[in-house]
Amino acid sequence: MTTEARYDIVAIGNAIVDVISQASDDFLDEEQLVKGSMALIDATRAQELYRDMGPAREISGGSGANTLAGASTLGRQCALIAQVADDQLGEVFAHDIRATGIDFDVPPLGKEPPTARCLIFVTPDAQRTMNTFLGASQFLPPAAVDADLIASGAILYLEGYLWDAAEPKAAMALGIEIAKENDRMVAFTLSDTFCVERHRAEFVGLIDDGKIDILFANETEIMMLAETGDFDAAVAETAAKVETLVVTRSEKGAIAVRDGKTYAVAAEPVGHIVDTTGAGDLFAAGFLSGYVEQRPMEECLTIGAIAAAEVISHFGARPEADLGELVKARFG
């Protein structure tokens, strides 16, 4: 790297407040919601679902922000570039992210569009069905990308969820350009199968052009990206194009491929799975935390698995336990 990094991770992501409620499978059917999926909704649909959902908890979320929250708990220095509105949920999000020790200095927009929210329905089997109104998040402008901030981060972390709207897409493209000019690593998460379905050609273009150093995916996303039903073939094809490929496989654990070598770990045991929201986000937090400490790949994967196991043991996508202590208990 050209200069010593001030931050371990700088992320460009959605600023979202999660509204989480328990729901039955019948409720999902009545609302015509696809179990386990993430769908983008408009303001009207957001109001309808909020009206119909049961008692709910409001917890700050957003994929990249969740990852930073986990990384911060693990002792990493982090900063976030994201957009909120000048409203109550915007204040909630800004307070929560700063309270975890993460620098967040992007000024809010006006009152409209409002701060993004994700209405999450958790069924008895702990599956989460997410319905996201992106609101102010989709108006994150390239002007919000602080070149000095990007240059001061060892890793720039980007979420595929932001790729739908023109302004955040341009902001992320600018972030990649600045990171590369300053010899910084770029990590990218595919986020969801719907993101791959909608933006596959652009994601492949980023990878083929050498813009992505660390790629995160789950097994369904990686096969969709490679347009094959053969998991091993999808991994081999993609791993040849990035420095490090990380693929999570739920109860089957996770793998990383680096320099042609594959590393694998089992999933961490969980006494009772409550809510799978944020599992991938926290896995990335753990992996990247180990990565910036230059730990072996197996340890990076294990720290990711520890963080993911913690977050699925309770409601919400932010850690509640001290992840650093959990890792210390494992590795000393």
Side-chain angles (χ1 to χ4, degrees):
M1 296 179 184
T2 53
T3 58
E4 185 177 349
R6 176 186 174 192
Y7 294 100
D8 296 307
I9 309 168
V10 175
I12 301 177
N14 279 313
I16 299 177
V17 176
D18 292 336
V19 183
I20 305 174
S21 176
Q22 294 176 283
S24 65
D25 289 328
D26 289 341
F27 177 87
L28 298 187
D29 291 340
E30 291 168 7
E31 295 290 344
Q32 298 182 325
L33 302 176
V34 179
K35 186 176 181 177
S37 69
M38 200 292 279
L40 293 177
I41 58 176
D42 59 19
T44 300
R45 181 61 170 154
Q47 291 173 346
E48 292 172 351
L49 285 175
Y50 185 71
R51 177 197 66 206
D52 294 341
M53 75 190 312
R57 297 174 62 192
E58 295 179 350
I59 306 172
S60 292
S63 177
N66 293 337
T67 295
L68 292 192
S72 181
T73 301
L74 286 163
R76 305 284 70 80
Q77 296 298 309
C78 303
L80 176 66
I81 298 172
Q83 189 66 69
V84 297
D86 183 13
D87 57 17
Q88 183 177 3
L89 289 185
E91 292 177 5
V92 168
F93 181 89
H95 169 270
D96 288 353
I97 202 73
R98 291 168 182 151
T100 60
I102 298 165
D103 285 352
F104 174 58
D105 298 318
V106 179
L109 292 176
K111 300 292 185 182
E112 292 291 338
T115 296
R117 71 285 315 269
C118 181
L119 307 180
I120 302 175
F121 299 93
V122 182
T123 40
D125 58 1
Q127 284 292 310
R128 82 282 186 272
T129 303
M130 301 186 293
N131 299 268
T132 305
F133 169 57
L134 289 174
S137 271
Q138 60 190 326
F139 295 98
L140 175 71
V145 177
D146 184 327
D148 291 337
L149 181 62
I150 300 292
S152 67
I155 297 173
L156 173 65
Y157 182 73
L158 308 170
E159 59 173 271
Y161 281 134
L162 260 185
W163 210 257
D164 263 289
E167 286 191 273
K169 184 189 298 187
M172 287 193 289
L174 177 59
I176 292 172
E177 181 181 326
I178 295 168
K180 290 299 181 181
E181 287 174 352
N182 288 274
D183 195 25
R184 301 311 195 188
M185 303 287 289
V186 176
F188 189 91
T189 174
L190 295 178
S191 293
D192 196 281
T193 52
F194 98 90
C195 295
V196 181
E197 184 177 18
R198 291 155 77 109
H199 307 296
R200 179 187 173 278
E202 291 177 276
F203 290 172
V204 169
L206 289 173
I207 294 166
D208 288 347
D209 290 343
K211 301 290 182 66
I212 308 302
D213 300 298
I214 306 170
L215 181 67
F216 290 93
N218 64 30
E219 58 184 333
T220 306
E221 293 159 2
I222 201 67
M223 289 188 289
M224 183 176 288
L225 185 75
E227 294 187 313
T228 176
D230 185 325
F231 175 74
D232 292 332
V235 168
E237 177 183 327
T238 309
K241 301 175 182 179
V242 296
E243 179 184 293
T244 305
L245 173 65
V246 183
V247 184
T248 56
R249 309 188 71 188
S250 299
E251 70 279 359
K252 291 180 284 186
I255 67 166
V257 185
R258 184 176 185 182
D259 297 329
K261 184 175 180 180
T262 300
Y263 307 84
V265 299
E268 289 290 302
V270 181
H272 178 58
I273 299 175
V274 175
D275 173 16
T276 55
T277 308
D281 302 336
L282 269 294
F283 189 96
F287 182 91
L288 291 175
S289 293
Y291 190 93
V292 299
E293 292 182 334
Q294 299 182 340
R295 290 177 181 254
M297 282 290 103
E298 291 96 337
E299 288 191 19
C300 295
L301 289 167
T302 300
I303 296 171
I306 290 170
E310 189 282 334
V311 84
I312 66 176
S313 68
H314 57 76
F315 282 106
R318 301 278 175 91
E320 293 183 355
D322 187 331
L323 298 181
E325 288 299 316
L326 295 178
V327 171
K328 185 178 179 180
R330 174 65 62 87
F331 295 110

